[in-house]
Amino acid sequence: MTKQSFIKGAMILLAAGIINRLLAFVPRITLPRIIGAEGVGLYQLSYPFLIVMLTFITGGIPLAIAKWIAEAESKGDHARVKHIFRTAMLLSISIAAFLTAVMLIFAPIITKYVLPDARVYRTFFMMSPMLLIVGVSAVYRGYFQGKQNMIPSALSQTIETIIRIIFSLLFAYLLLPLGLEWAAAGAMLGVTIGELGGLAVYLWKYYSEKKKEKLAAASQPNKKNEIFEKPPKVLRRLLGLSIPVTGSRLVGSLSYLFESIFIARSLAAAGIATGIATAHYGALQGMIIPLILLPTALTQSLAVSLVPSLSEAAAKGEFGLIQKRLHQSMRLALVSGAPFIVVMALFAEPLCRILYAHGEYAPMLQLMAPIGIFIYLQAPLQAALQALNRPGTALTNTFIGAVVKLTLIVQLASQPSLGIYGALIAINVNTILVTLLHGISVLRHIGFKMKLLDFAKVGAAMIIMGAAAKFVMNKELLSLEYLNLIIACMASITVYLLLMIWMKFIDRFDVIRIPLIGRWFK
């Protein structure tokens, strides 16, 4: 089993994350052109309920597996690793099977009375098989991450994304003549097929590794078999590790579900028709937020690698290493997210028009772009709280933010003068509040805090970068707008990176850790 260092593991996931995010923009760009903003709204409206269901399966179990296996591996207890995996798989499949049955039985009631648009029923039905598929994949993901081998996760994500893109667009196009609701359902069916492809990769990698382990064991016949006496409380401990994390993420998932319902109801109260409200929600969740979340390919990669790394360091009592790993994660999140914020804030209108053919939604992107930095810093902070046995703190912070967000949505989105922008304000306030609460919690627990000089350096680089981007864009060097936009972005990002190197915020040793290209800088 190949074990990677913290940074290398994060970079492997980052490479896969960037590829996946870029590939994911193919349907993000193409789907609105096939089924329109309203069709995207129907597709997106079913997601919040799916996320709630998946949270029961993937919210805490993979994290608990990764954390516990990392601890067992640090002690060389391979028999315990095997038992953890088998127990977690049984638990995950049982929960997934139960939730799938519930989902199918109550689908007509949920789509008619709970979700804000009854046309999502077919989409709802197409996504039901995902629970069992994702449940099994989650256990394999936690297993490999606990072993600090991020390659299977990265490969699975990439294959899943490619298959999802192909079949989502294909089925949406083929089913469009039957109506928007069928087209949206076809897109969701493509997502389900993609998840099946991702699971196939995990199965292939797992059994390939097992075959290698058996061959290695056969070549050493004199090695004593490991004896592990199964503790009667393994399942209880697994639940004890996963339930608080699941609870924390469930708060976020339920918040997402209620957000979709409250936004639709509030827009209706503001006098906006159901079809238009669905289109606005589709633009927000299917176009604007995916752009904002593009840099989270890195922050999520850092968070995934951070959990087993911090868990192993905590088990050994290496608190200096914990501080170092967390500072690396926060610094990388800050540096990588900042240039995206500048580009989205300055070029919101051409981005929305070129990517989605809907330039009218640019004000949404401009309103959300500055808050992106809080989104990017939130993932490593939350991962640190979970790895350091403070999932209850993360749960409390998330719950407080959710209550504030939903309250503001009802108050602001129902005002005709604000509409969907009232919901955007509420989401922004929630993001800032939860990130600050996580930061305060980490500070109180391990005394970690970011250096103000880091923010000052990045802020200065962002200002200079923005000026360079505007200068190049206004020159209109080429006749096509999208080419001028690409040139402006590349030139300004080059300026940004040079400033980061000049201020010694990043150096050659940071680049060396990046897979594939790192060896060129040794």
Side-chain angles (χ1 to χ4, degrees), residues 164-195:
R164 170 165 50 87
I165 290 170
I166 295 171
F167 286 98
S168 290
L169 295 178
L170 176 64
F171 289 138
Y173 177 77
L174 293 176
L175 296 178
L176 182 59
L178 300 177
L180 279 180
E181 60 269 35
W182 276 105
M188 186 59 73
L189 179 59
V191 176
T192 302
I193 295 174
E195 292 291 349

Side-chain angles (χ1 to χ4, degrees), residues 89 132-140 156-157 159-160 193-206:
M89 183 64 76
L132 193 56
I133 298 170
V134 174
V136 176
S137 294
V139 177
Y140 284 110
S156 175
Q157 290 172 18
I159 296 300
E160 182 271 325
I193 295 174
E195 292 291 349
L196 196 59
L199 173 58
V201 172
Y202 277 126
L203 291 172
W204 167 58
K205 292 297 292 183
Y206 178 79

Side-chain angles (χ1 to χ4, degrees), residues 455-472:
F455 288 99
K457 287 181 178 180
V458 174
M462 290 172 69
I463 294 171
I464 298 172
M465 173 193 168
K470 270 292 187 182
F471 176 79
V472 175

Side-chain angles (χ1 to χ4, degrees), residues 36-195:
E38 187 175 352
V40 173
L42 291 174
Y43 173 78
Q44 290 292 149
L45 279 173
S46 58
Y47 256 114
F49 196 89
L50 174 65
I51 296 301
V52 171
M53 294 290 100
L54 288 177
T55 301
F56 286 102
I57 308 167
T58 65
I61 293 176
L63 193 67
I65 298 168
K67 177 178 170 59
W68 200 0
I69 285 180
E71 292 175 359
E73 283 283 306
S74 69
K75 299 173 183 177
D77 195 345
H78 302 296
R80 182 180 291 272
V81 169
K82 187 182 298 184
H83 190 58
I84 292 167
F85 176 79
R86 291 175 178 174
T87 306
M89 183 64 76
L90 179 61
L91 176 64
S92 185
I93 290 176
S94 300
I95 296 173
F98 173 75
L99 292 177
T100 301
V102 170
M103 200 169 175
L104 291 173
I105 292 170
F106 293 99
I109 297 173
I110 294 168
T111 54
K112 186 175 181 180
Y113 297 107
V114 178
L115 298 180
D117 196 320
R119 292 178 294 171
V120 302
Y121 173 75
R122 291 178 178 85
T123 306
F124 199 86
F125 184 79
M126 292 293 187
M127 71 186 186
S128 57
M130 258 192 278
L131 296 180
L132 193 56
I133 298 170
V134 174
V136 176
S137 294
V139 177
Y140 284 110
R141 184 173 73 249
Y143 171 80
F144 284 114
Q145 289 171 359
K147 294 269 191 177
Q148 299 188 47
N149 180 9
M150 304 302 168
I151 292 175
S153 296
L155 185 61
S156 175
Q157 290 172 18
T158 304
I159 296 300
E160 182 271 325
T161 301
I162 293 172
I163 295 174
R164 170 165 50 87
I165 290 170
I166 295 171
F167 286 98
S168 290
L169 295 178
L170 176 64
F171 289 138
Y173 177 77
L174 293 176
L175 296 178
L176 182 59
L178 300 177
L180 279 180
E181 60 269 35
W182 276 105
M188 186 59 73
L189 179 59
V191 176
T192 302
I193 295 174
E195 292 291 349

Side-chain angles (χ1 to χ4, degrees), residues 229-475:
E229 188 176 337
K230 297 180 182 180
K233 297 181 180 179
V234 171
L235 180 59
R236 185 180 299 176
R237 186 183 174 193
L238 187 62
L239 289 171
L241 288 168
S242 63
I243 286 176
V245 179
T246 301
S248 178
R249 294 188 177 177
L250 188 60
V251 170
S253 301
L254 288 172
S255 170
Y256 184 32
L257 174 61
F258 289 135
E259 173 189 311
S260 65
I261 297 170
F262 284 15
I263 288 176
R265 306 298 183 196
S266 298
L267 293 178
I272 300 173
T274 301
I276 297 175
T278 300
H280 284 175
Y281 183 78
L284 174 62
Q285 294 292 344
M287 303 179 195
I288 305 304
I289 290 182
L291 267 178
I292 298 291
L293 295 181
L294 188 59
T296 59
L298 172 63
T299 58
Q300 291 299 330
S301 302
L302 290 170
V304 169
S305 294
L306 199 59
V307 172
S309 178
L310 292 189
S311 297
E312 185 176 9
K316 295 178 179 179
E318 297 175 345
F319 296 102
L321 183 60
I322 292 174
Q323 292 268 357
K324 179 182 176 181
R325 291 285 182 258
L326 190 51
H327 183 263
Q328 287 175 327
S329 301
M330 297 293 286
R331 190 181 67 165
L332 283 170
L334 179 63
V335 171
S336 61
F340 286 90
I341 293 171
V342 175
V343 170
M344 289 185 289
L346 290 179
F347 303 126
E349 197 278 333
L351 279 172
C352 289
R353 181 161 36 80
I354 293 169
L355 291 177
Y356 305 125
H358 284 285
E360 67 272 19
Y361 296 124
M364 291 188 190
L365 183 57
Q366 287 178 321
L367 184 60
M368 287 202 72
I371 309 302
I373 197 66
F374 292 94
I375 298 174
Y376 312 146
L377 294 175
Q378 190 177 120
L381 289 172
Q382 181 157 328
L385 289 173
Q386 292 165 350
L388 299 172
N389 294 318
R390 290 294 185 277
T393 303
L395 170 61
T396 302
N397 296 341
T398 306
F399 178 76
I400 293 171
V403 171
V404 171
K405 178 180 69 173
L406 295 175
T407 302
L408 288 176
I409 286 175
V410 174
Q411 294 294 322
L412 300 177
S414 58
Q415 297 181 22
S417 60
L418 291 175
I420 192 66
Y421 294 98
L424 275 172
I425 293 170
I427 292 171
N428 287 351
V429 171
N430 166 74
T431 302
I432 296 171
L433 178 60
V434 174
T435 303
L436 291 178
L437 289 174
H438 283 350
I440 293 170
S441 299
V442 172
L443 172 63
R444 293 175 62 183
H445 182 51
I446 60 172
F448 173 83
K449 59 182 177 180
M450 287 287 289
K451 299 175 183 177
L452 291 178
L453 184 59
D454 289 348
F455 288 99
K457 287 181 178 180
V458 174
M462 290 172 69
I463 294 171
I464 298 172
M465 173 193 168
K470 270 292 187 182
F471 176 79
V472 175
M473 190 67 177
N474 292 337
K475 284 293 183 179

